[in-house]
Amino acid sequence: MNELSKIDTATLLQDVSQFLWQEADILDRKDYDAWLALWLTDGFYTLPIDDTQDFDNTLNLCHDNDKMRRDRIERFQRGFSISSAPPADTIRTVSRFVIDKAEGDVVVRSAEHLIENKFGRQRVWAANLTHTLVRTDQGFRIRHKVARLLNSAGMLNSFSYLF
Amino acid sequence: MSLDMPKFSDLDALYSTDDAKVGTSMYEDPELFKVEMEKIFRRTWVWVGHESEFPDKGSFKLSNVGLEPVIVVRDRKGTIHVMVNRCRHRAATVCEVKKGKTSSFQCPYHGWGYGLDGSLRALPYPEQYGDDFNKEQHGLQRLRTEIYNGMVFATFNEEVEPLVDFLAGAKKWIDLFMKQGGGFPVKVLGEHQFSVPMNWKVQLENTTDAYHFPVVHKSFMQSLDGQTEEMFEFLETGKGFVEDLGNGHSVMVMIPELVDLDENLDAPIPDRFQELAQELRDEGYPDDQVRKIVRAVGGAGFNLNLFPNVACSMAFFRVLTPKSVTQTDIRHLALGMESGPASANRMRLRLHEHFQGPMGFGSPDDAEVWERVQRGTVGGGELPILVNRGMVDEQQGVDGPRGHISAETGMRAAYHMWKRMMSA
């Protein structure tokens, strides 16, 4: 690896980390309009259950296109959903970034640890994230985000927030 | 433990039939829970799976009968067996893989090997048990297993009535429910699982509760198109009903037009299914089959609640597993069309994800109110829980009392059976 590509890789890692941390912060603050703005219209937000890449033909926890994402956010925001009025509070960290693909669309894997609090009860969740990011004039935009929970095929609880 | 503790001799205080009042301790008493597990979950038919989950010889899945972990498996001859997941030697579980395919089950501790029918095949160094050791007496503990229209039930009770008699008035509704295969066999496509801090009966009540729908699921309704939202306004139109089907089972008909999915095939295709209909036509399906598939794709217009642990709920199976007096696991199994068009199954998957499961637009709100019931019962222990709604104008239906769509007739059916089993 020459000096220039080392610098490129370091810069990309820095840019990607910054973007994912920004997204994590947005999600913990539940600033969902800002979150929607991070997406490409044809993007998918997927929480799979099984170990598969064929999300269309498999049952997922969610597999949201643009309309479902917007409906989901509207449900959170309008105040008629008892589970999200109020929702659980969350604090998360995203780390262990691995860039799988640097040319064209950037594919980055990361680990997410999230703690939720509701009714004075805290629950811990962990997920492997895979973001497919597109470079635009406004910075990165998300084409696909896959959040694979550690126990995705097992017994979970219901969620009033996003991973 | 004595199961005839005097404390529970007064079952009327726990559920009084005349005025349909439920005692608070019904959700809270750990001793009562133990008796329920014995007198109900070990003595009646408990749903453990659907035949489509066992497509091949050796296909298996872990399940539960009450608190007890069981293995459901199809043997080489095609027979489905249900057996306790416990080695007959020193009790280790013989399988910890949730589902899959195998030719046998081997205990990881000392290597006892069992066949697909639970029979003990071989064990290392058997000589130390002497010549009179009888392998036939050391198979996995097997439960009586019977199947109705793909629904697999098991019981520890060798004396219990045949499954078809137990299902009684519910059978014809199961048959109607399975029509949502749209001409194909119904197949389990996957499942959502979530655990809720509530007593199992809070869930048993909910599947037959139309009254909560416009309140708890307002945010789901708001995410629908106008036509579909109208369809779900069944409390407004009041055309449906709830009927006691006997033996604790009940049916809640929300959308009468969608009770029999083979009827009204000439009705206009709803807007939300137009795109799918076109896709099917493009794939070469003839018009009558397109209509049949599209009519079936959204599921049936009713919830069938089967005592004690399963419901055929519009387009999915809802299964409850009691874990403790205040904890219940819920599974929502998505259904599709076996060998049917992939486009229709994709639509069914997306519809299921829309409402059901940990990230659905419906289930999290259900889970919240169920937990709120459990939290609420901590206070005012002397206050009754009311399931008397709709008693005022209940009529005799086909198989039992029939009430208004928002009546608590189905809950009364379940509690009536609860009482019958607890007093036996």
Side-chain angles (χ1 to χ4, degrees):
Chain A
M1 191 181 281
N2 61 39
E3 279 306 308
L4 194 63
S5 66
K6 263 188 205 166
I7 293 166
D8 283 352
T9 306
T11 308
L12 180 60
L13 184 62
Q14 194 178 9
D15 291 350
V16 163
S17 312
Q18 196 177 8
F19 180 79
L20 296 189
W21 282 333
Q22 183 199 2
E23 189 205 6
D25 178 57
I26 284 171
L27 289 175
D28 276 342
R29 286 189 288 105
K30 299 183 167 58
D31 183 5
Y32 290 124
D33 293 326
W35 186 71
L36 287 173
L38 299 179
W39 284 84
L40 293 181
T41 313
D42 64 353
F44 273 87
Y45 171 64
T46 309
L47 267 76
I49 294 173
D50 295 329
D51 185 14
T52 176
Q53 295 295 324
D54 183 9
F55 307 122
D56 288 349
N57 292 297
T58 312
L59 185 70
N60 308 286
L61 296 172
C62 77
H63 186 45
D64 289 359
N65 59 14
D66 184 62
K67 181 180 186 305
M68 275 297 280
R69 273 198 305 278
R70 289 177 188 282
D71 286 351
R72 187 178 296 281
I73 296 312
E74 197 173 316
R75 185 177 110 82
F76 283 162
Q77 291 175 335
R78 283 179 77 173
F80 292 106
S81 154
I82 184 69
S83 62
S84 38
D89 289 323
T90 62
I91 294 178
R92 74 191 70 202
T93 51
V94 178
S95 189
R96 195 255 267 139
F97 304 112
V98 177
I99 295 176
D100 271 355
K101 185 171 168 291
E103 304 297 319
D105 288 4
V106 177
V107 177
V108 54
R109 292 187 289 114
S110 59
E112 178 175 28
H113 293 163
L114 179 152
I115 300 174
E116 64 154 86
N117 184 70
K118 184 161 185 174
F119 296 138
R121 172 188 57 214
Q122 296 194 349
R123 288 173 172 150
V124 182
W125 303 97
N128 278 311
L129 305 181
T130 303
H131 284 78
T132 303
L133 303 175
V134 178
R135 295 177 174 93
T136 75
D137 295 343
Q138 291 84 42
F140 287 124
R141 288 293 174 268
I142 307 170
R143 188 189 295 287
H144 198 183
K145 176 179 179 181
V146 179
R148 206 177 280 276
L149 289 169
L150 201 52
N151 188 32
S152 64
M155 199 56 67
L156 300 168
N157 299 110
S158 52
F159 301 119
S160 55
Y161 49 84
L162 301 178
F163 284 92
Chain B
M1 182 185 76
S2 164
L3 295 178
D4 298 311
M5 282 173 284
K7 192 176 173 187
F8 304 125
S9 60
D10 186 13
L11 290 172
D12 289 339
L14 295 171
Y15 178 63
S16 73
T17 311
D18 293 345
D19 53 3
K21 285 180 180 169
V22 180
T24 300
S25 62
M26 285 282 266
Y27 297 165
E28 288 191 315
D29 187 339
E31 292 304 316
L32 181 68
F33 178 79
K34 283 184 200 165
V35 181
E36 288 176 336
M37 291 306 102
E38 182 64 34
K39 290 200 164 195
I40 296 173
F41 281 85
R42 278 186 65 94
R43 293 196 195 171
T44 191
W45 290 105
V46 173
W47 190 91
V48 291
H50 184 261
E51 263 193 309
S52 66
E53 298 180 276
F54 314 96
D56 305 312
K57 294 167 185 174
S59 297
F60 70 89
K61 192 177 183 192
L62 300 185
S63 190
N64 293 84
V65 173
L67 294 173
E68 303 188 45
V70 298
I71 305 170
V72 187
V73 59
R74 193 184 288 277
D75 73 13
R76 284 188 176 77
K77 292 174 189 159
T79 307
I80 290 181
H81 300 277
V82 179
M83 45 226 193
V84 178
N85 190 4
R86 169 190 165 126
C87 181
R88 290 294 306 280
H89 174 217
R90 296 254 289 280
T93 55
V94 297
C95 181
E96 288 291 350
V97 178
K98 284 173 193 161
K99 60 181 174 184
K101 231 171 121 170
T102 187
S103 55
S104 64
F105 298 99
Q106 191 175 39
C107 178
Y109 199 176
H110 303 94
W112 287 34
Y114 300 91
L116 296 177
D117 60 354
S119 60
L120 178 61
R121 289 279 184 71
L123 60 156
Y125 314 111
E127 334 50 87
Q128 285 299 311
Y129 289 103
D131 290 340
D132 55 353
F133 179 76
N134 188 349
K135 281 202 285 196
E136 281 175 20
Q137 287 172 2
H138 290 83
L140 296 176
Q141 185 181 8
R142 281 205 332 215
L143 284 75
R144 202 173 137 196
T145 305
E146 290 182 16
I147 299 172
Y148 182 79
N149 205 341
M151 309 277 275
V152 185
F153 293 80
T155 181
F156 285 98
N157 186 355
E158 288 297 325
E159 310 298 317
V160 77
E161 66 206 308
L163 177 65
V164 287
D165 295 343
F166 171 68
L167 291 174
K171 278 185 303 184
K172 60 178 174 290
W173 291 98
I174 294 176
D175 297 344
L176 285 166
F177 186 81
M178 297 305 171
K179 287 190 180 190
Q180 64 189 282
F184 301 92
V186 165
K187 183 191 179 185
V188 172
L189 297 179
E191 61 183 291
H192 287 143
Q193 304 182 64
F194 55 104
S195 192
V196 184
M198 64 167 166
N199 184 268
W200 66 279
K201 298 186 290 301
V202 176
Q203 166 66 163
L204 183 67
E205 294 166 6
N206 181 259
T207 307
T208 179
D209 183 331
Y211 193 28
H212 82 288
F213 204 93
V215 182
V216 173
H217 300 308
K218 190 177 176 71
S219 75
F220 167 72
M221 302 271 282
Q222 286 168 338
S223 72
L224 303 173
D225 65 86
Q227 206 178 20
T228 314
E229 188 177 356
E230 217 168 277
M231 187 183 83
F232 275 99
E233 280 171 350
F234 40 77
L235 234 55
E236 291 285 316
T237 55
K239 285 185 292 182
F241 61 87
V242 187
E243 185 171 308
D244 180 339
L245 301 173
N247 290 345
H249 316 313
S250 64
V251 66
M252 173 172 79
V253 175
M254 291 94 87
I255 309 160
E257 311 85 86
L258 293 177
V259 162
D260 189 336
L261 296 171
D262 285 345
E263 286 178 359
N264 303 322
L265 291 174
D266 295 334
I269 292 171
D271 292 345
R272 65 172 174 158
F273 298 138
Q274 288 289 357
E275 207 175 313
L276 172 64
Q278 192 53 50
E279 213 172 329
L280 292 168
R281 281 184 215 110
D282 293 346
E283 286 172 37
Y285 286 93
D287 186 63
D288 57 336
Q289 201 179 0
V290 169
R291 288 183 168 276
K292 192 170 169 137
I293 292 168
V294 166
R295 191 167 149 76
V297 85
F302 60 87
N303 283 5
L304 173 66
N305 208 28
L306 300 177
F307 188 90
N309 79 321
V310 67
C312 299
S313 182
M314 294 193 79
F316 69 104
F317 298 143
R318 185 274 291 145
V319 185
L320 71 84
T321 308
K323 303 307 283 185
S324 76
V325 67
T326 56
Q327 194 73 35
T328 306
D329 288 352
I330 304 298
R331 295 159 51 207
H332 288 165
L333 283 73
L335 305 176
M337 304 169 183
E338 170 98 62
S339 313
S343 49
N345 281 334
R346 275 196 295 273
M347 172 139 245
R348 290 194 63 109
L349 289 167
R350 298 295 91 78
L351 290 172
H352 191 86
E353 289 160 0
H354 188 177
F355 191 95
Q356 315 299 342
M359 292 288 282
F361 286 24
S363 301
D365 294 326
D366 275 328
E368 175 94 8
V369 294
W370 301 334
E371 182 172 1
R372 294 277 281 266
V373 169
Q374 197 68 41
R375 292 170 69 81
T377 53
V378 173
E382 69 280 15
L383 302 172
I385 290 145
L386 308 179
V387 294
N388 61 345
R389 188 177 164 80
M391 281 174 98
V392 281
D393 63 354
E394 214 162 55
Q395 309 284 321
Q396 182 60 30
V398 177
D399 288 293
R402 178 185 283 200
H404 183 261
I405 175 65
S406 74
E408 285 155 351
T409 306
M411 300 173 212
R412 293 192 283 277
Y415 280 117
H416 189 75
M417 183 64 172
W418 180 92
K419 203 169 174 180
R420 199 171 101 197
M421 296 204 72
M422 291 293 282
S423 59

